[in-house]
Amino acid sequence: MIDSSDGGEISEVFTETTQQSFTETTQQSWFSRIGGALTGLVIGLLLMPAGGVLLFWNEGRAVQTARSLTEGAGVVVSVATDRIDPAREGRLVHVAGTLTIPSPPQDAELKVTAPAGALRLFRRVEMYQWLEESRSETRNRLGGGTETVTTYSYSRGWREGRVDSARFHQPEGHQNPQPRWVSRSWNAENARLGAFRLEAPQINEVDAEQDIDQPTRFIGQDANAPRVGDLRVSWRMAKPESLSIVAAQTGDGFGPYATRAGDALMMVQTGRMPAAAMFAAAEDDNAILTWALRLAGGLVIFFAFWLLFAPLKVLADIIPPLGWLVGFGTGVLAAMLTLVVAPVIIAIAWLTFRPLLAGAVILVGLALAFGISRLRRGRVVAAPA
């Protein structure tokens, strides 16, 4: 059997098969690893600008969202739920009130109806199926080659959705069938927030987290001894007594509000929340997303540097201990360069999207540097000869 997960040269593969797992040992030559490292170098050259673009775009996105939220908070008007004022058509409104749901949603396929007052019904379908796990251990060999031992284990368990068994390393004997039923959700029809009509864009923002008084249903021959293909079905619902919405008034319903900054505002929260609290929560979400994307961009740049330095480690792997030291050193260097490059890109983005704030930060930094410099000079002059 000849195989390679990375396109490199494999000299030999040994396979040991057991009932539910097997082990595969692959060997890759030093020349093949050099070729792979050079390919990685090219990928690193492509990832470097990609990470920079992500960081730069994220700062612009964060500023645009912040400006949109500031604009929305300044023009939003809280309105009563008992009547719709046609004069506010297209305006940004805040509505908070009690829900009216004439008929709860239902799963007609499996004949399950949510309790009265439910806004959403979610059906979760789990299938008893084959699952694959793999563990790999790579060892460097004298001369720069590597040996990788990979163990593939197969077990049966419950998992929502269908795991694609065609992608298993050993699909034979581990096929997963297509389930008869799948997870899906239903929304209540004709739901209203006072006089305002609710549609899917607003209802779908409400999570179905409550269990309903409906036992989990097993679809198969024996629940105590499930077979591959058997199903386990459960239901959850969303049953908020009240809802708060910030959106554009559109007819007798809601739609996204287009801000001058370029975003479309539509916020939905369960319970009665003031408009100010909803905008504050949105600002917090924007801050969290900004830092998450900064971290993602930094990781992309770090991985790019790591790929650029990878050929050095492969060259040093002719003597395995030396390769480990070079790999550790290049990893530290990649991290240090990332900590320099990523903030510089963010600073350039700030100069573009937040010039006043960026200028203030630069001035403060220069003032601190000047003050520290003067303080050090004063201590030098005061020191005894």
Side-chain angles (χ1 to χ4, degrees):
M1 176 179 175
I2 303 297
D3 189 17
S4 172
S5 60
D6 60 2
E9 177 187 348
I10 303 298
S11 62
E12 193 172 8
V13 175
F14 307 92
T15 302
E16 177 185 353
T17 305
T18 62
Q19 184 178 1
Q20 299 295 337
S21 66
F22 71 93
T23 299
E24 179 181 84
T25 301
T26 61
Q27 297 173 351
Q28 188 175 23
S29 71
W30 181 79
F31 292 101
S32 176
R33 293 186 63 208
I34 283 291
L38 293 177
T39 301
L41 188 148
V42 175
I43 296 174
L45 291 174
L46 297 176
L47 285 178
M48 185 65 67
V53 169
L54 174 59
L55 289 174
F56 192 88
W57 168 84
N58 177 49
E59 297 305 316
R61 180 211 58 79
V63 171
Q64 177 175 307
T65 300
R67 289 174 177 170
S68 294
L69 291 174
T70 300
E71 176 186 341
V75 300
V76 66
V77 176
S78 295
V79 300
T81 61
D82 56 347
R83 60 180 292 272
I84 297 174
D85 184 357
R88 299 195 182 280
E89 178 70 17
R91 302 279 298 278
L92 185 65
V93 297
H94 164 254
V95 182
T98 303
L99 290 171
T100 302
I101 303 173
S103 57
Q106 59 178 328
D107 179 353
E109 296 173 327
L110 295 178
K111 297 180 175 56
V112 172
T113 301
L119 182 63
R120 297 188 68 198
L121 176 65
F122 177 77
R123 179 179 73 196
R124 184 187 186 198
V125 180
E126 300 171 282
M127 184 170 71
Y128 195 72
Q129 56 191 302
W130 285 106
L131 307 173
E132 179 188 68
E133 293 183 1
S134 63
R135 299 187 305 274
S136 296
E137 180 182 358
T138 300
R139 297 186 291 266
N140 292 331
R141 298 183 302 160
L142 188 63
T146 60
E147 181 179 80
T148 301
V149 178
T150 304
T151 301
Y152 298 92
S153 301
Y154 297 90
S155 61
R156 288 165 290 189
W158 294 101
R159 181 70 59 86
E160 185 175 5
R162 175 182 178 271
V163 176
D164 187 2
S165 54
R167 297 179 178 272
F168 288 171
H169 198 78
Q170 190 182 46
E172 296 81 7
H174 305 113
Q175 292 87 3
N176 290 326
Q178 291 289 345
R180 182 180 178 184
W181 312 107
V182 296
S183 299
R184 58 173 301 189
S185 63
W186 296 265
N187 296 335
E189 297 182 356
N190 302 317
R192 304 190 80 87
L193 183 59
F196 291 88
R197 172 175 44 86
L198 296 179
E199 295 183 339
Q202 298 89 50
I203 298 176
N204 290 341
E205 293 295 316
V206 182
D207 293 330
E209 298 178 340
Q210 296 177 255
D211 294 328
I212 68 172
D213 187 15
Q214 175 72 32
T216 299
R217 189 177 303 180
F218 175 82
I219 302 176
Q221 295 184 358
D222 187 353
N224 295 320
R227 299 180 179 181
V228 171
D230 290 349
L231 302 178
R232 189 167 65 183
V233 188
S234 58
W235 289 266
R236 298 195 308 272
M237 66 175 177
K239 191 181 177 182
E241 295 182 358
S242 56
L243 213 61
S244 301
I245 296 178
V246 170
Q249 179 177 308
T250 306
D252 64 343
F254 303 99
Y257 177 80
T259 66
R260 290 191 300 271
D263 283 343
L265 297 181
M266 186 169 68
M267 296 179 283
V268 180
Q269 295 284 352
T270 56
R272 296 174 181 264
M273 289 186 64
M278 295 182 69
F279 277 97
E283 290 170 356
D284 291 340
D285 291 341
N286 184 39
I288 293 172
L289 179 60
T290 299
W291 279 105
L293 291 176
R294 283 172 180 167
L295 176 60
L299 290 175
V300 171
I301 292 176
F302 170 79
F303 187 59
F305 277 124
W306 183 79
L307 289 174
L308 293 176
F309 298 142
L312 298 177
K313 180 184 182 303
V314 176
L315 288 171
D317 271 341
I318 294 177
I319 304 175
L322 180 60
W324 183 88
L325 290 174
V326 172
F328 177 79
T330 56
V332 172
L333 181 59
M336 293 176 62
L337 290 174
T338 300
L339 292 176
V340 173
V341 172
V344 167
I345 295 174
I346 293 175
I348 293 174
W350 277 38
L351 287 172
T352 303
F353 301 111
R354 305 178 181 182
L356 294 179
L357 180 59
V361 171
I362 292 174
L363 289 176
V364 170
L366 291 175
L368 289 174
F370 178 76
I372 293 173
S373 175
R374 290 294 300 270
L375 181 62
R376 292 184 62 185
R377 289 180 181 178
R379 289 181 177 178
V380 171
V381 171

